[in-house]
Amino acid sequence: MPDYAKNIVVGFGRMNGETVGIVGNQPLVAAGCLDINASVKGARFVRFCDSFNIPLIILEDVPGFLPGTQQEHGGIIKHGAKLLYALAEATVPKLTVITRKAYGGAYVVMNSKHIRADVNYAWPSAEIAVMGSKGAVAIICRGDPDLEKREEEYIETFANPFPTAKKGFVDDVIMPRDTRKRLCADLKWLRNKSQKTPWKKHGNIPL
C-alpha cells in the first residue's frame, strides 16, 4: 500500500551491516503532521521491529497532530496514543534525530526522552517547542505593535535545539554530515541493551 499514510515513512536499512527499522516524518505530505493513519502505520511498524529485536531510528520533522473535526471524530487521541505506547514499550535500541520541527505533543510521541528513548540528537536546524514561533508570538505578545521583531527575538531565544539540550532532553546537537557515524557508534554501544520492565501480564494498549 504505497499510498497509505504517506506523511510518515517506514522501512528497513542497514547500519554497520546490521538491520535497523527507520521511521520518519514526510514534510512534503500534510507538512509531516501525524494523523490517524500515520499513527497506526508507525505503531504497527514499531511493534514489528520490537518483536524481532530490530533497533529503531526515528527521523523527526513533525509540526504536530493534524487538526480538524474529522480527525477528532475519528479518534486521533486514541490512535495517536498507539504510536506513543508502541515506542514507550519497545525495549530495542531507540535513537532519534530531530532534523527540523518538533512541536507539541507530536514531539513527545516521536520517541522523545520522555518516553525512554536511548539517544536523542538534533541538527542545528531543529526547532523544539510547543508550537511554531509565529503562533507563539501571536499569543505571548498579543497587542504588541512590532510582532515581526518579537518573532525574531523568539526564534533566536527559543526556536533552536540548545535550550532543550541544556535541560538534557537532547543528548547532543550534531551536524548532518556526522549523523550516520554517530548513529553507528550508538548502535554498537547499545547492541547488548537489556531493559527490565515491571512484571505484568500485559500492557493495556489503546485499541
Side-chain angles (χ1 to χ4, degrees), residues 68-109:
T69 55
Q70 183 179 1
Q71 290 290 309
E72 291 176 11
H73 293 162
I76 181 62
I77 294 176
K78 176 180 72 175
H79 294 294
K82 292 177 182 178
L83 180 55
L84 174 71
Y85 186 99
L87 282 165
E89 190 183 53
T91 57
V92 295
K94 298 179 291 185
L95 314 177
T96 301
V97 180
I98 303 171
T99 60
R100 204 166 58 112
K101 295 179 180 179
Y103 292 164
Y107 151 67
V108 177
V109 169

Side-chain angles (χ1 to χ4, degrees), residues 21-55:
I22 299 172
V23 180
N25 305 109
Q26 172 52 282
L28 297 179
V29 180
C33 286
L34 289 175
D35 60 8
I36 291 171
N37 291 343
S39 299
V40 173
K41 176 181 175 180
R44 290 189 65 177
F45 183 77
V46 169
R47 299 280 285 185
F48 179 90
C49 290
D50 192 47
S51 296
F52 293 95
N53 205 35
I54 299 171

Side-chain angles (χ1 to χ4, degrees), residues 6-197:
K6 294 171 74 172
N7 44 332
I8 196 167
V9 178
V10 300
F12 296 103
R14 282 194 173 275
M15 305 287 276
N16 276 345
E18 298 186 3
T19 302
V20 295
I22 299 172
V23 180
N25 305 109
Q26 172 52 282
L28 297 179
V29 180
C33 286
L34 289 175
D35 60 8
I36 291 171
N37 291 343
S39 299
V40 173
K41 176 181 175 180
R44 290 189 65 177
F45 183 77
V46 169
R47 299 280 285 185
F48 179 90
C49 290
D50 192 47
S51 296
F52 293 95
N53 205 35
I54 299 171
L56 285 160
I57 294 175
I58 312 300
L59 303 177
E60 183 173 355
D61 181 1
V62 62
F65 283 95
L66 189 68
T69 55
Q70 183 179 1
Q71 290 290 309
E72 291 176 11
H73 293 162
I76 181 62
I77 294 176
K78 176 180 72 175
H79 294 294
K82 292 177 182 178
L83 180 55
L84 174 71
Y85 186 99
L87 282 165
E89 190 183 53
T91 57
V92 295
K94 298 179 291 185
L95 314 177
T96 301
V97 180
I98 303 171
T99 60
R100 204 166 58 112
K101 295 179 180 179
Y103 292 164
Y107 151 67
V108 177
V109 169
M110 290 296 291
N111 198 44
S112 66
K113 282 285 188 181
H114 311 285
I115 57 171
R116 305 195 301 178
D118 294 303
V119 180
N120 283 57
Y121 292 125
W123 288 358
S125 56
E127 301 175 18
I128 305 166
V130 175
M131 62 175 69
S133 57
K134 190 171 184 178
V137 168
I139 295 170
I140 297 169
C141 305
R142 183 170 48 191
D144 192 300
D146 196 355
L147 287 179
E148 288 186 8
K149 184 179 179 182
R150 297 291 172 263
E151 186 175 349
E152 290 175 6
E153 293 172 353
Y154 182 92
I155 291 171
E156 186 177 344
T157 306
F158 300 110
N160 62 75
F162 299 104
T164 308
K166 285 180 182 178
K167 295 177 181 178
F169 300 133
V170 168
D171 293 297
D172 201 359
V173 179
I174 63 173
M175 298 301 291
R177 63 175 176 267
D178 297 326
T179 303
R180 186 179 184 89
K181 178 176 69 175
R182 297 291 292 268
L183 292 178
C184 286
D186 291 327
L187 288 169
K188 185 177 180 180
W189 168 56
L190 291 164
R191 180 175 293 165
N192 296 320
K193 174 186 174 182
S194 177
Q195 183 169 315
K196 296 186 182 297
T197 57

